């Protein structure tokens, strides 16, 4: 009988442990050397130059590929470099279909590349299947982000992937908000998974990194080649840190999403809050899809304050445990105001189309005590009316 594949918890905690041949180090070592000995004249070993391949980066890529169920991974210097690497598969005249409410930086990059005539881009509301099907005519790549940043909209990866494949397009899913601990897009039909490893995978807000995991070995080879050509591969130290973060990915997320669910319910019952966007809530429009395609509802949520910007200002100025900062997925709880922070670059009109209002607040729930977080939100919400 072939050996059973290891469980994902085990892969996260121990992939690569005990494989060091030089000293028998239990923890995979950090290899900083930029260059590697040639075994002999005209003979190249597995590593020659770190931009092309590096043992520490390889260890991280191998772990990510196993966690996502892909043929391989390309580890990049940032999440944006990972997005751009996937977009590099498109050639002039080809069409990209992307969500109208994706991360602001991805939106900006797609628009900028389209302005350089690298491809054409159409932004659609992907929860509208008829509109998405229409946009997919002549499409080469469907880009999905679910749950979306910052509105936590959930779309059906399996249905959208079959629509895209029927139209001859490949599918890329940005899985940053959930990580493979809670969602595995390649098993639902996607061809590429994109990560900002800066977020939940590293989990400690102390490195910037990214990765693309591909279903097919041909795509891995093509993307690795282009990442080497353009020099966007990730740094060994950042790879080491990210792998260290991944060791605790499952228990971190388990705890963080538990607290997120408690916070979502608390906010929903508060008079100053007009809407809460959390896929775990029964009345969230994507709840049933999330239940089906995710193994948990995640640690991200957003909510609208009834009284707009003045209320946002009073609220964030009163916070003491949550920090007002961009980014997400770390052990510390963060609050962001998308309209003036993460999604400012989209412009007011695009934000309005995507439904990102001026009263919207995004929350990344960390590992602090549930009681301290609830008390902080409660006192900051009271500051709005004080
Ligand atoms: N994708 C999503 C969903 C993000 O939230 C971000 C950053 O916030 C990125 C991609 C870009 O990642 P990075 O900041 O690591 O370049």
């Amino acid at each position: 009988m072939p050996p059973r594949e290891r469980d994902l918890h085990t892969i996260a905690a121990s992939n690569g442990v005990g494989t060091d041949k030089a000293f028998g180090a239990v923890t995979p070592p950090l290899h900083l050397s930029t260059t590697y000995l040639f075994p002999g004249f005209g003979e190249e070993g597995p590593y020659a130059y770190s931009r092309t391949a590096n043992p520490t980066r390889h260890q991280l890529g191998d772990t990510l590929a196993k966690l996502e169920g892909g043929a391989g991974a390309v580890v990049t210097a940032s999440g944006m470099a990972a997005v751009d690497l996937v977009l590099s598969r498109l050639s002039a005249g080809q069409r990209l279909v992307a969500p109208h409410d994706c991360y602001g930086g991805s939106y900006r990059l797609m628009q900028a590349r389209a302005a350089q005539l690298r491809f054409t881009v159409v932004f659609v509301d992907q929860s509208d299947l008829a509109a998405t099907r229409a946009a997919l005519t002549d499409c080469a790549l469907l880009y999905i982000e679910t749950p979306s940043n910052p509105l936590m909209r959930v779309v059906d990866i399996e249905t959208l992937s079959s629509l895209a494949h029927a139209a001859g397009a490949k599918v890329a899913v940005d899985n940053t908000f959930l990580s493979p601990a809670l969602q595995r897009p390649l098993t639902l039909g996607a061809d590429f998974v994109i990560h900002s490893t800066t977020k939940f995978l590293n989990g400690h807000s102390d490195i910037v990194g990214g990765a693309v995991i591909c279903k097919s070995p041909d795509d891995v080879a093509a993307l690795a080649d282009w990442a080497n050509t353009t020099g966007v591969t990730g740094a060994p130290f950042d790879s080491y840190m990210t792998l260290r973060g991944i060791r605790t990915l499952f228990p971190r997320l388990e705890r963080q999403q538990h607290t997120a669910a408690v916070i979502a319910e608390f906010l929903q019952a508060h008079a100053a809050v007009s809407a809460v966007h959390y896929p775990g809530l029964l009345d969230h429009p994507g709840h049933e899809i999330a239940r089906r395609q995710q193994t948990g509802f995640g640690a991200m949520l957003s909510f609208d304050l009834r009284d707009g910007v003045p209320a946002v200002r009073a609220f964030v100025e009163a916070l003491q445990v949550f920090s007002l900062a961009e980014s997400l997925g770390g052990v510390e709880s963060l609050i962001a105001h998308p309209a003036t922070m993460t999604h400012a670059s989209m412009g007011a009109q695009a934000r309005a189309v995507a439904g990102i209002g001026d009263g919207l607040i995004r929350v990344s729930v960390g590992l602090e005590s549930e009681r301290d977080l609830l008390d902080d939100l409660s006192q900051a919400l009271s500051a709005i009316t004080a």
Side-chain angles (χ1 to χ4, degrees):
M1 214 168 59
R4 183 175 65 79
E5 294 233 332
R6 296 260 161 87
D7 290 340
L8 298 184
H9 288 68
T10 308
I11 292 168
S14 62
N15 188 51
V17 161
T19 55
D20 174 47
K21 298 274 188 295
F23 301 105
V26 169
T27 302
L30 165 57
H31 293 280
L32 290 171
S33 182
T34 50
T35 189
Y36 293 82
L37 290 172
F38 274 57
F41 180 71
E43 291 170 37
E44 194 175 314
Y47 300 101
Y49 185 54
S50 270
R51 168 162 45 75
T52 318
N54 169 278
T56 308
R57 194 168 63 234
H58 176 83
Q59 193 63 66
L60 172 61
D62 183 62
T63 306
L64 288 172
K66 285 180 175 145
L67 288 175
E68 288 286 7
V74 180
V75 174
T76 56
S78 69
M80 289 320 303
V83 176
D84 205 33
L85 189 60
V86 171
L87 299 184
S88 75
R89 301 303 293 148
L90 295 167
S91 43
Q94 286 193 316
R95 175 191 281 205
L96 164 71
V97 173
H100 69 333
D101 60 341
C102 59
Y103 166 58
S106 305
Y107 188 93
R108 176 176 56 191
L109 175 66
M110 290 169 194
Q111 276 198 318
R113 289 298 195 204
Q116 291 171 334
L117 308 180
R118 297 284 187 91
F119 48 76
T120 60
V121 60
V122 186
F123 294 101
V124 288
D125 175 353
Q126 294 180 353
S127 56
D128 181 342
L129 282 187
T132 310
R133 192 184 276 112
L136 281 170
T137 316
D138 294 329
C139 167
L141 181 69
L142 173 68
Y143 188 96
I144 298 173
E145 191 183 291
T146 182
S148 68
N149 180 358
L151 284 163
M152 307 303 298
R153 289 192 180 122
V154 173
V155 293
D156 187 330
I157 298 173
E158 202 161 12
T159 303
L160 287 172
S161 297
S162 353
L163 284 181
H165 289 153
K170 288 208 172 190
V171 177
V173 178
D174 186 330
N175 200 22
T176 297
F177 263 38
L178 291 176
S179 91
L182 301 180
Q183 175 171 273
R184 299 175 81 214
L186 298 183
T187 65
L188 299 167
D191 302 286
F192 304 101
V193 167
I194 294 169
H195 277 289
S196 165
T197 56
T198 316
K199 319 298 186 204
F200 287 100
L201 285 166
N202 177 61
H204 294 75
S205 306
D206 51 9
I207 66 97
V208 171
V212 183
I213 300 100
C214 311
K215 190 177 222 160
S216 95
D218 287 353
D219 282 331
V220 180
L223 290 191
D225 184 55
W226 191 243
N228 177 46
T229 302
T230 53
V232 296
T233 46
F237 181 73
D238 296 352
S239 298
Y240 180 87
M241 294 291 278
T242 306
L243 188 59
R244 189 178 195 267
I246 287 174
R247 300 307 187 199
T248 56
L249 176 68
F250 280 86
R252 271 191 285 116
L253 263 167
E254 218 166 276
R255 166 79 191 197
Q256 284 169 262
Q257 72 175 350
H258 168 82
T259 312
V262 174
I263 288 176
E265 278 176 23
F266 162 80
L267 290 170
Q268 209 172 29
H270 201 285
V273 175
S274 57
V276 180
H277 313 282
Y278 183 62
L281 293 172
L282 292 176
D283 63 355
H284 184 280
H287 179 73
E288 280 313 316
I289 302 173
R291 234 192 158 72
R292 249 194 345 263
Q293 77 183 5
Q294 303 173 196
T295 50
F297 297 111
M300 295 298 301
L301 60 105
S302 58
F303 63 97
D304 287 287
L305 281 177
R306 220 174 271 292
D307 297 326
V309 173
V312 171
R313 180 184 292 277
F315 172 73
V316 299
E317 285 179 353
L319 287 169
Q320 287 166 13
V321 181
F322 285 86
S323 301
L324 178 68
E326 295 191 344
S327 204
L328 56 109
V331 294
E332 68 294 315
S333 294
L334 301 178
I335 289 257
H337 179 233
T340 55
M341 297 167 70
T342 49
H343 290 66
S345 65
M346 271 177 91
Q349 204 189 344
R351 277 199 306 277
V353 171
I356 303 169
D358 287 349
L360 185 75
I361 288 178
R362 191 187 73 184
V363 187
S364 172
V365 179
L367 284 177
E368 302 89 342
S369 98
E370 189 180 303
R371 199 176 57 169
D372 285 342
L373 293 173
L374 286 175
D375 282 355
D376 196 32
L377 290 171
S378 177
Q379 64 80 22
L381 287 167
S382 310
I384 295 174
T385 42

